[in-house]
Amino acid sequence: MYSKELLKGTLQTIILKLLAENDRMYGYEITQKVKDLSDGKINLTEGALYPALHKLEATGLLSTEKVYIGKRVRKYYSLTVTGADTATNKVTEFSNFMETMKIILNLEPKMNDL
Amino acid sequence: MYSKELLKGTLQTIILKLLAENDRMYGYEITQKVKDLSDGKINLTEGALYPALHKLEATGLLSTEKVYIGKRVRKYYSLTVTGADTATNKVTEFSNFMETMKIILNLEPKMNDL
DNA sequence: CTATAACACCTAAGAGTTTTATGTATCTTT
DNA sequence: AAAGATACATAAAACTCTTAGGTGTTATAG
């Protein structure tokens, strides 16, 4: 598990990107997918995830549909058109940010630095 | 300028790493260095930086010395032994975190994905 | 020579996100 | 029958950062 601070600010980007690749997903599924992809190192808490999903829906980036599995409710989220745009932008921005951080933290140092 | 959220959680790591490479730096110098290295894309605000420096000093990761330049005061910060350890750990952790994020955000996709 | 910008420190209220804690309920496995 | 996994949700508290102030010095441009 990574220290909590690192994850800050990445939640929206993660949600949007997963939905860009999966058409529709529900909350619990997202937590499991992230746990899988991160090899258990990132565990989204429900207290953070659900409010984030609600906010993305409220701002028009996500739409929802409820599906009943027996008596249990699942709430599927999908990207809206705006949401798809935002997903692309957020991922690009994050990618650029990582490049900048590599420079600042002097990661990938050049041969002649060694 | 990157959206504010991304920077969250990276400030301590940035400070510690810069001091790992520069022996001693003062607050204003750190803001300028980060601006330089990031090509103007990251501007640390003083309202965030100074409290962060004070906190790192209070927790024993940094030590200080005041230097007078004419009548103006500069407060130089240096890593303590513990601070140097923490710097290494934080940078490593951040580096690992970036690798995980690459997977989640599906950056650097493989040939056969294209 | 004086006003503006740069240098250099600082704090505090508020905004925003996440953690922690809690609640409800269904389904599956032991 | 109990425990754990599935599935949603909210609310108080913690934490970090932004915004918005404040003080004072030095250099530069008009």
Side-chain angles (χ1 to χ4, degrees):
Chain A
M1 275 287 285
Y2 298 118
S3 72
K4 326 291 184 187
E5 309 91 52
L6 287 180
L7 213 46
K8 294 204 177 188
T10 62
L11 183 53
Q12 278 196 22
T13 306
I14 290 173
I15 293 170
L16 292 172
K17 177 61 175 175
L18 288 182
L19 285 171
E21 291 182 338
N22 290 287
D23 246 48
R24 68 176 203 176
M25 295 181 86
Y26 54 99
Y28 187 78
E29 187 184 8
I30 292 174
T31 65
Q32 299 309 304
K33 187 75 175 176
V34 170
K35 192 188 286 185
D36 264 23
L37 288 171
S38 71
D39 213 15
K41 282 174 276 188
I42 298 180
N43 288 294
L44 301 186
T45 60
E46 300 187 321
L49 180 64
Y50 289 116
L53 287 170
H54 300 162
K55 188 183 172 188
L56 288 169
E57 187 184 7
T59 55
L61 303 184
L62 300 182
S63 61
T64 59
E65 47 179 327
K66 283 184 183 167
V67 174
Y68 283 83
I69 309 296
K71 284 180 183 173
R72 199 189 297 178
V73 170
R74 268 186 201 164
K75 208 164 152 189
Y76 277 99
Y77 289 88
S78 310
L79 290 182
T80 62
V81 176
T82 312
D85 279 355
T86 306
T88 304
N89 293 338
K90 285 252 183 198
V91 172
T92 301
E93 189 186 24
F94 187 79
S95 184
N96 292 336
F97 177 69
M98 289 206 300
E99 290 306 311
T100 300
M101 284 300 289
K102 274 186 201 167
I103 295 169
I104 293 177
L105 298 185
N106 200 24
L107 302 174
E108 297 180 349
K110 298 192 182 65
M111 293 291 193
N112 45 349
D113 290 346
L114 302 175
Chain B
M1 277 288 285
Y2 299 117
S3 72
K4 325 292 184 186
E5 309 91 51
L6 287 181
L7 213 46
K8 293 207 176 185
T10 62
L11 183 53
Q12 279 196 21
T13 306
I14 290 172
I15 293 170
L16 292 172
K17 177 61 175 177
L18 287 183
L19 285 172
E21 290 181 339
N22 290 287
D23 244 48
R24 68 177 203 175
M25 296 182 87
Y26 54 98
Y28 187 78
E29 188 184 9
I30 291 173
T31 64
Q32 298 309 303
K33 186 77 176 175
V34 169
K35 193 188 286 182
D36 264 24
L37 288 172
S38 71
D39 214 15
K41 283 174 275 186
I42 298 181
N43 288 294
L44 301 186
T45 59
E46 299 187 324
L49 180 64
Y50 289 115
L53 288 171
H54 300 161
K55 188 182 172 189
L56 289 169
E57 187 184 6
T59 54
L61 303 183
L62 301 182
S63 61
T64 58
E65 48 179 326
K66 282 184 184 168
V67 174
Y68 282 83
I69 310 294
K71 285 180 183 171
R72 201 188 296 177
V73 169
R74 268 187 202 163
K75 206 164 154 189
Y76 277 99
Y77 289 87
S78 309
L79 291 181
T80 61
V81 175
T82 313
D85 279 354
T86 306
T88 304
N89 293 338
K90 286 250 183 198
V91 172
T92 300
E93 189 186 25
F94 187 79
S95 184
N96 291 337
F97 177 68
M98 288 205 301
E99 289 307 311
T100 300
M101 284 300 289
K102 274 187 200 167
I103 294 169
I104 293 177
L105 298 183
N106 201 24
L107 302 175
E108 296 180 348
K110 298 193 181 62
M111 294 291 195
N112 44 350
D113 290 346
L114 300 174

